[in-house]
Amino acid sequence: MTAARGVRLLERDAPLAALGSYWAEALTGRGRLVFLGGECGAGKTSVGLEFGRRISGRGRFLVGACDVGATPRALGPLTDVADALGLSAQLEHPEVHRASLFPRVRAARGRRPTLLLLEDMHWADEATMD
């Protein structure tokens, strides 16, 4: 699924350029939420991973994924990035309030530019969607 170093993704210049302009804004403190949509197999993951490769050295790139299937892991995408953000203990605490988790993720990134790619959100569990 990943684009190999030096391999150009075909017909992906426009979305990669748009992501580049959004990243430039984020570096000035104006972050945003971007959704990549498309049919299964359209290349959303490849675009996200390629862009993450391109920003290497200019920020942190984290990937969290929702589980495919009938019983996804609770807070799967956050669990995937918890160690990198220093939030593992908070996620494991049984009384953590779900509504506080995404603000904690934002706070944990600090002032370091961070690209958080959340994969397969259509499979997200209820806790992640909350």
Side-chain angles (χ1 to χ4, degrees):
M1 275 193 172
T2 62
R5 196 180 237 355
V7 174
R8 183 171 176 202
L9 295 177
L10 297 176
E11 299 180 14
R12 299 297 184 261
D13 293 339
L16 288 167
L19 290 171
S21 68
Y22 302 150
W23 181 253
E25 288 179 16
L27 294 176
T28 69
R30 294 180 47 211
R32 68 174 64 214
L33 178 64
V34 177
F35 290 95
L36 294 178
E39 296 294 322
C40 181
K44 301 175 295 292
T45 296
S46 294
V47 168
L49 294 175
E50 171 61 16
F51 187 72
R53 186 193 64 76
R54 289 182 182 193
I55 66 157
S56 177
R58 294 185 288 148
R60 178 173 38 190
F61 176 49
L62 304 174
V63 179
C66 296
D67 297 324
V68 176
T71 310
R73 292 174 298 153
L75 302 169
L78 292 180
T79 302
D80 291 346
V81 299
D83 284 342
L85 294 172
L87 294 174
S88 292
Q90 293 174 21
L91 281 177
E92 293 169 5
H93 193 279
E95 296 179 21
V96 69
H97 192 268
R98 289 189 271 191
S100 70
L101 290 176
F102 280 100
R104 288 180 188 191
V105 168
R106 286 188 68 186
R109 69 172 176 74
R111 300 195 52 79
R112 185 174 179 192
T114 302
L115 171 61
L116 175 58
L117 176 63
L118 300 177
E119 284 282 336
D120 296 322
M121 288 301 292
H122 57 285
W123 292 109
D125 64 289
E126 186 178 333
T128 300
M129 294 306 290
D130 281 351

